[in-house]
Amino acid sequence: MNRPNARPAPVSALHRLFASVAVERQASLAGELRRFEQGRGARLIEAGTTPATVFFIVDGLVALLGRGGGGEAAETGLVGPGGLVGHAALLGSAAAGSSAMALTGLRGVAIEARALRHALEDDPPLRRELTAYAAERLAETEALCVCGALHSVEQRLASWLTRAAALLGPDRPIELTHQQLADLFGVRRASVTTSLHMMEGEQSVRCRRGRIEIRDLARLEGHSCGCRRAS
């Protein structure tokens, strides 16, 4: 049944970071937004390129990946529902410092970086909200640098799984292989497998091929170093 008088959903209902957008500005911002879906493994942004689009994530997980001098990659941040990808564009950076890769299927809304920067000029509350978010991502990267130097693979893995469960919901399995997790952490696959076996022995997780289920979140948090709790 057609409803010609129905109004589109306000942008504040599309993503939590739009909650501060004034009512009179919502229609113009909504006109710049487009819904998107991407499959697992999709590359949203490549390091060293200027982000042309900013992605606001509604469902799914995205890993931010930095590269070493030899070309090897490791995770520098994790983005889930309520977050965004492309914060370098908000800071006026010419190029992104990290790539962004979908770890799961994704849904969300996207906007051209140029259009978003223009909207921020006219909306100080939104500018403060998104600038604060960008600062959180930078703080997360700094915390993960310290975490990687000081904590064991088991602690780091438990922290990552705890954060992923917080973003996706504890009842949703995390569909990643041991090798994919090892690549994120920049460690050997055997180190991830050993850590997961220890967690299984403590009944905090259950592992299947390419699938990790959280059985006891509190116990899992007990293994965690806690570096991601405030990210």
Side-chain angles (χ1 to χ4, degrees):
M1 179 177 178
N2 293 328
R3 299 179 60 190
N5 295 324
R7 295 181 179 180
V11 295
S12 56
L14 298 178
H15 196 277
R16 71 169 186 90
L17 291 175
F18 296 141
S20 65
V21 177
V23 173
E24 62 270 18
R25 298 187 186 279
Q26 293 206 16
S28 60
L29 181 60
E32 300 288 350
L33 297 172
R34 59 178 174 81
R35 297 181 186 271
F36 76 90
E37 293 186 5
Q38 291 283 358
R40 182 164 58 177
R43 309 284 287 206
L44 303 183
I45 293 174
E46 293 291 345
T49 64
T50 301
T53 305
V54 178
F55 301 88
F56 291 81
I57 308 302
V58 172
D59 184 61
L61 289 178
V62 179
L64 305 181
L65 303 170
R67 290 199 173 274
E72 60 275 71
E75 185 214 13
T76 60
L78 184 66
V79 180
L84 70 83
V85 174
H87 62 269
L90 306 177
L91 302 175
S93 301
S98 299
S99 299
M101 181 182 71
L103 297 178
T104 67
L106 299 178
R107 291 188 299 106
V109 291
I111 184 173
E112 289 187 6
R114 180 176 56 183
L116 181 58
R117 286 193 295 268
H118 180 73
L120 296 183
E121 292 175 359
D122 297 329
D123 195 327
L126 180 60
R127 183 169 65 248
R128 287 193 295 269
E129 183 79 20
L130 298 192
T131 300
Y133 179 86
E136 290 174 4
R137 297 282 65 76
L138 295 176
E140 178 187 20
T141 299
E142 293 176 354
L144 292 184
C145 289
V146 176
C147 181
L150 298 181
H151 299 138
S152 68
V153 173
E154 181 184 1
Q155 288 175 305
R156 294 166 60 197
L157 179 57
S159 184
W160 192 95
L161 292 172
T162 299
R163 180 59 178 159
L167 291 169
L168 293 178
D171 296 329
R172 183 169 170 178
I174 298 166
E175 298 184 346
L176 290 176
T177 66
H178 294 195
Q179 186 60 59
Q180 288 171 321
L181 288 167
D183 291 342
L184 289 177
F185 296 149
V187 300
R188 296 181 303 115
R189 175 185 172 186
S191 298
V192 169
T193 299
T194 299
S195 296
L196 286 172
H197 283 170
M198 293 176 64
M199 294 178 200
E200 278 193 293
E202 294 289 334
Q203 298 187 345
S204 56
V205 302
R206 178 188 292 114
C207 297
R208 298 289 184 266
R209 184 179 295 275
R211 184 186 181 99
I212 301 171
E213 299 172 5
I214 308 300
R215 299 184 63 186
D216 189 326
L217 186 57
R219 187 167 292 176
L220 183 63
E221 289 176 340
H223 290 287
S224 167
C225 56
C227 289
R228 294 177 184 262
R229 286 175 186 160
S231 66

PDB file of all heavy atoms in Angstrom, residues 128-145:
ATOM      1  N   ARG A 128      31.599  18.585  16.434  1.00  0.00           N
ATOM      2  CA  ARG A 128      32.182  18.179  17.715  1.00  0.00           C
ATOM      3  C   ARG A 128      32.021  16.677  17.936  1.00  0.00           C
ATOM      4  O   ARG A 128      32.942  16.007  18.420  1.00  0.00           O
ATOM      5  CB  ARG A 128      31.522  18.953  18.858  1.00  0.00           C
ATOM      6  CG  ARG A 128      31.942  20.410  18.939  1.00  0.00           C
ATOM      7  CD  ARG A 128      31.504  21.033  20.260  1.00  0.00           C
ATOM      8  NE  ARG A 128      30.058  21.101  20.377  1.00  0.00           N
ATOM      9  CZ  ARG A 128      29.343  22.145  19.981  1.00  0.00           C
ATOM     10  NH1 ARG A 128      29.933  23.204  19.431  1.00  0.00           N
ATOM     11  NH2 ARG A 128      28.028  22.148  20.139  1.00  0.00           N
ATOM     12  N   GLU A 129      30.848  16.142  17.578  1.00  0.00           N
ATOM     13  CA  GLU A 129      30.585  14.713  17.760  1.00  0.00           C
ATOM     14  C   GLU A 129      31.546  13.861  16.944  1.00  0.00           C
ATOM     15  O   GLU A 129      32.146  12.904  17.451  1.00  0.00           O
ATOM     16  CB  GLU A 129      29.141  14.400  17.346  1.00  0.00           C
ATOM     17  CG  GLU A 129      28.715  12.970  17.562  1.00  0.00           C
ATOM     18  CD  GLU A 129      28.350  12.666  19.004  1.00  0.00           C
ATOM     19  OE1 GLU A 129      28.057  13.613  19.754  1.00  0.00           O
ATOM     20  OE2 GLU A 129      28.373  11.487  19.367  1.00  0.00           O
ATOM     21  N   LEU A 130      31.722  14.203  15.676  1.00  0.00           N
ATOM     22  CA  LEU A 130      32.567  13.395  14.802  1.00  0.00           C
ATOM     23  C   LEU A 130      34.047  13.618  15.091  1.00  0.00           C
ATOM     24  O   LEU A 130      34.856  12.696  14.953  1.00  0.00           O
ATOM     25  CB  LEU A 130      32.249  13.695  13.339  1.00  0.00           C
ATOM     26  CG  LEU A 130      30.818  13.370  12.886  1.00  0.00           C
ATOM     27  CD1 LEU A 130      30.713  13.436  11.363  1.00  0.00           C
ATOM     28  CD2 LEU A 130      30.371  11.996  13.381  1.00  0.00           C
ATOM     29  N   THR A 131      34.427  14.827  15.487  1.00  0.00           N
ATOM     30  CA  THR A 131      35.820  15.073  15.865  1.00  0.00           C
ATOM     31  C   THR A 131      36.176  14.275  17.111  1.00  0.00           C
ATOM     32  O   THR A 131      37.282  13.721  17.218  1.00  0.00           O
ATOM     33  CB  THR A 131      36.062  16.571  16.108  1.00  0.00           C
ATOM     34  OG1 THR A 131      35.770  17.295  14.915  1.00  0.00           O
ATOM     35  CG2 THR A 131      37.508  16.834  16.496  1.00  0.00           C
ATOM     36  N   ALA A 132      35.251  14.205  18.066  1.00  0.00           N
ATOM     37  CA  ALA A 132      35.479  13.409  19.268  1.00  0.00           C
ATOM     38  C   ALA A 132      35.627  11.928  18.911  1.00  0.00           C
ATOM     39  O   ALA A 132      36.471  11.225  19.479  1.00  0.00           O
ATOM     40  CB  ALA A 132      34.339  13.602  20.266  1.00  0.00           C
ATOM     41  N   TYR A 133      34.821  11.459  17.962  1.00  0.00           N
ATOM     42  CA  TYR A 133      34.941  10.067  17.531  1.00  0.00           C
ATOM     43  C   TYR A 133      36.306   9.811  16.896  1.00  0.00           C
ATOM     44  O   TYR A 133      36.952   8.795  17.181  1.00  0.00           O
ATOM     45  CB  TYR A 133      33.830   9.702  16.541  1.00  0.00           C
ATOM     46  CG  TYR A 133      33.936   8.282  16.059  1.00  0.00           C
ATOM     47  CD1 TYR A 133      33.372   7.250  16.792  1.00  0.00           C
ATOM     48  CD2 TYR A 133      34.643   7.977  14.901  1.00  0.00           C
ATOM     49  CE1 TYR A 133      33.505   5.934  16.377  1.00  0.00           C
ATOM     50  CE2 TYR A 133      34.779   6.668  14.481  1.00  0.00           C
ATOM     51  CZ  TYR A 133      34.208   5.645  15.225  1.00  0.00           C
ATOM     52  OH  TYR A 133      34.355   4.345  14.809  1.00  0.00           O
ATOM     53  N   ALA A 134      36.752  10.717  16.041  1.00  0.00           N
ATOM     54  CA  ALA A 134      38.058  10.562  15.407  1.00  0.00           C
ATOM     55  C   ALA A 134      39.164  10.525  16.453  1.00  0.00           C
ATOM     56  O   ALA A 134      40.120   9.742  16.344  1.00  0.00           O
ATOM     57  CB  ALA A 134      38.296  11.690  14.409  1.00  0.00           C
ATOM     58  N   ALA A 135      39.045  11.355  17.485  1.00  0.00           N
ATOM     59  CA  ALA A 135      40.044  11.359  18.558  1.00  0.00           C
ATOM     60  C   ALA A 135      40.042  10.020  19.295  1.00  0.00           C
ATOM     61  O   ALA A 135      41.114   9.515  19.693  1.00  0.00           O
ATOM     62  CB  ALA A 135      39.765  12.502  19.528  1.00  0.00           C
ATOM     63  N   GLU A 136      38.877   9.408  19.477  1.00  0.00           N
ATOM     64  CA  GLU A 136      38.799   8.094  20.110  1.00  0.00           C
ATOM     65  C   GLU A 136      39.536   7.039  19.292  1.00  0.00           C
ATOM     66  O   GLU A 136      40.205   6.164  19.849  1.00  0.00           O
ATOM     67  CB  GLU A 136      37.330   7.686  20.282  1.00  0.00           C
ATOM     68  CG  GLU A 136      36.574   8.491  21.321  1.00  0.00           C
ATOM     69  CD  GLU A 136      35.102   8.129  21.336  1.00  0.00           C
ATOM     70  OE1 GLU A 136      34.701   7.204  20.587  1.00  0.00           O
ATOM     71  OE2 GLU A 136      34.348   8.763  22.078  1.00  0.00           O
ATOM     72  N   ARG A 137      39.407   7.110  17.976  1.00  0.00           N
ATOM     73  CA  ARG A 137      40.083   6.126  17.136  1.00  0.00           C
ATOM     74  C   ARG A 137      41.604   6.293  17.233  1.00  0.00           C
ATOM     75  O   ARG A 137      42.348   5.314  17.244  1.00  0.00           O
ATOM     76  CB  ARG A 137      39.632   6.279  15.675  1.00  0.00           C
ATOM     77  CG  ARG A 137      38.171   6.012  15.437  1.00  0.00           C
ATOM     78  CD  ARG A 137      37.832   4.512  15.393  1.00  0.00           C
ATOM     79  NE  ARG A 137      38.033   3.814  16.640  1.00  0.00           N
ATOM     80  CZ  ARG A 137      37.195   3.897  17.688  1.00  0.00           C
ATOM     81  NH1 ARG A 137      36.136   4.643  17.625  1.00  0.00           N
ATOM     82  NH2 ARG A 137      37.446   3.217  18.787  1.00  0.00           N
ATOM     83  N   LEU A 138      42.081   7.521  17.286  1.00  0.00           N
ATOM     84  CA  LEU A 138      43.515   7.745  17.428  1.00  0.00           C
ATOM     85  C   LEU A 138      44.006   7.236  18.782  1.00  0.00           C
ATOM     86  O   LEU A 138      45.083   6.635  18.878  1.00  0.00           O
ATOM     87  CB  LEU A 138      43.829   9.233  17.272  1.00  0.00           C
ATOM     88  CG  LEU A 138      43.554   9.834  15.892  1.00  0.00           C
ATOM     89  CD1 LEU A 138      43.823  11.338  15.908  1.00  0.00           C
ATOM     90  CD2 LEU A 138      44.404   9.162  14.821  1.00  0.00           C
ATOM     91  N   ALA A 139      43.209   7.457  19.823  1.00  0.00           N
ATOM     92  CA  ALA A 139      43.580   6.966  21.152  1.00  0.00           C
ATOM     93  C   ALA A 139      43.603   5.439  21.174  1.00  0.00           C
ATOM     94  O   ALA A 139      44.462   4.826  21.827  1.00  0.00           O
ATOM     95  CB  ALA A 139      42.607   7.501  22.199  1.00  0.00           C
ATOM     96  N   GLU A 140      42.679   4.811  20.450  1.00  0.00           N
ATOM     97  CA  GLU A 140      42.652   3.354  20.376  1.00  0.00           C
ATOM     98  C   GLU A 140      43.928   2.834  19.731  1.00  0.00           C
ATOM     99  O   GLU A 140      44.525   1.856  20.201  1.00  0.00           O
ATOM    100  CB  GLU A 140      41.443   2.882  19.576  1.00  0.00           C
ATOM    101  CG  GLU A 140      41.373   1.364  19.422  1.00  0.00           C
ATOM    102  CD  GLU A 140      40.275   0.906  18.487  1.00  0.00           C
ATOM    103  OE1 GLU A 140      39.818   1.728  17.666  1.00  0.00           O
ATOM    104  OE2 GLU A 140      39.879  -0.257  18.574  1.00  0.00           O
ATOM    105  N   THR A 141      44.361   3.469  18.652  1.00  0.00           N
ATOM    106  CA  THR A 141      45.587   3.042  17.981  1.00  0.00           C
ATOM    107  C   THR A 141      46.781   3.126  18.920  1.00  0.00           C
ATOM    108  O   THR A 141      47.621   2.216  18.970  1.00  0.00           O
ATOM    109  CB  THR A 141      45.834   3.899  16.731  1.00  0.00           C
ATOM    110  OG1 THR A 141      44.732   3.727  15.823  1.00  0.00           O
ATOM    111  CG2 THR A 141      47.119   3.499  16.025  1.00  0.00           C
ATOM    112  N   GLU A 142      46.873   4.205  19.691  1.00  0.00           N
ATOM    113  CA  GLU A 142      47.970   4.345  20.645  1.00  0.00           C
ATOM    114  C   GLU A 142      47.910   3.247  21.700  1.00  0.00           C
ATOM    115  O   GLU A 142      48.945   2.658  22.060  1.00  0.00           O
ATOM    116  CB  GLU A 142      47.897   5.721  21.313  1.00  0.00           C
ATOM    117  CG  GLU A 142      48.173   6.880  20.362  1.00  0.00           C
ATOM    118  CD  GLU A 142      47.985   8.230  21.035  1.00  0.00           C
ATOM    119  OE1 GLU A 142      47.531   8.246  22.204  1.00  0.00           O
ATOM    120  OE2 GLU A 142      48.299   9.255  20.404  1.00  0.00           O
ATOM    121  N   ALA A 143      46.712   2.957  22.200  1.00  0.00           N
ATOM    122  CA  ALA A 143      46.564   1.923  23.224  1.00  0.00           C
ATOM    123  C   ALA A 143      46.966   0.547  22.687  1.00  0.00           C
ATOM    124  O   ALA A 143      47.585  -0.255  23.396  1.00  0.00           O
ATOM    125  CB  ALA A 143      45.123   1.889  23.735  1.00  0.00           C
ATOM    126  N   LEU A 144      46.639   0.264  21.425  1.00  0.00           N
ATOM    127  CA  LEU A 144      46.965  -1.034  20.850  1.00  0.00           C
ATOM    128  C   LEU A 144      48.464  -1.180  20.620  1.00  0.00           C
ATOM    129  O   LEU A 144      48.993  -2.293  20.658  1.00  0.00           O
ATOM    130  CB  LEU A 144      46.195  -1.240  19.549  1.00  0.00           C
ATOM    131  CG  LEU A 144      44.675  -1.385  19.696  1.00  0.00           C
ATOM    132  CD1 LEU A 144      44.028  -1.680  18.358  1.00  0.00           C
ATOM    133  CD2 LEU A 144      44.328  -2.459  20.713  1.00  0.00           C
ATOM    134  N   CYS A 145      49.159  -0.087  20.380  1.00  0.00           N
ATOM    135  CA  CYS A 145      50.617  -0.142  20.267  1.00  0.00           C
ATOM    136  C   CYS A 145      51.230  -0.608  21.584  1.00  0.00           C
ATOM    137  O   CYS A 145      52.113  -1.473  21.613  1.00  0.00           O
ATOM    138  CB  CYS A 145      51.176   1.223  19.887  1.00  0.00           C
ATOM    139  SG  CYS A 145      50.835   1.731  18.196  1.00  0.00           S
TER     140      CYS A 145
END
